[in-house]
Amino acid sequence: MRIDARIRVRVGSLADAGQGDALLLPPGTAAPAGLAVAWLEPAPGHAAGCACCLPRNAAAQALGALFVRRARGEVPFFSTVLAAVGPDDAREIGAALYADPLVSARFRAA
C-alpha cells in the first residue's frame, strides 16, 4: 500500500469546515476564528513581457503561502484544505493541483 502524505484539498461550503481544516476563500469572505486561512488574491506580477518566469494562478500562490505558514508554525496545523469557492475558482484550484509542480508536490485533490 502506498501512503500519500500530501495535504488533501476539497471543495465545499464554509459550513463544512471542521477541526484540522485550513480554508481557501474568495477575497472579502469572512473566516471563522481558529482556522488557517488563505484568500484567492492574485499577487502583483512582473511587467508585461517579462521572460524570467511564468505567472502562477491565485490558487497556486494561496496554497503555497498556506503551506509555508504551516511549516513555520504561524497557523494551526491542518491536514486538509477546504476550498469554499465558486465553480470558476474551483477550476483554478484544479489547474493548480495538476499543473503547478510546487502545488502538486504538497497538495492533492481529496
Side-chain angles (χ1 to χ4, degrees), residues 8 23 48 72 100:
R8 294 179 299 126
L23 298 175
R72 290 180 179 163
D100 190 290

Side-chain angles (χ1 to χ4, degrees), residues 42-72:
H46 293 274
C50 175
C52 67
C53 64
L54 295 174
R56 297 174 77 204
N57 71 24
Q61 292 171 1
L63 288 168
L66 197 56
F67 182 84
V68 169
R69 290 174 51 216
R70 181 184 117 159
R72 290 180 179 163

Side-chain angles (χ1 to χ4, degrees), residues 82-103:
L82 171 65
V85 297
D88 290 338
D89 289 333
R91 281 189 289 279
E92 187 171 318
I93 292 166
L97 287 172
Y98 295 105
D100 190 290
L102 291 175
V103 172

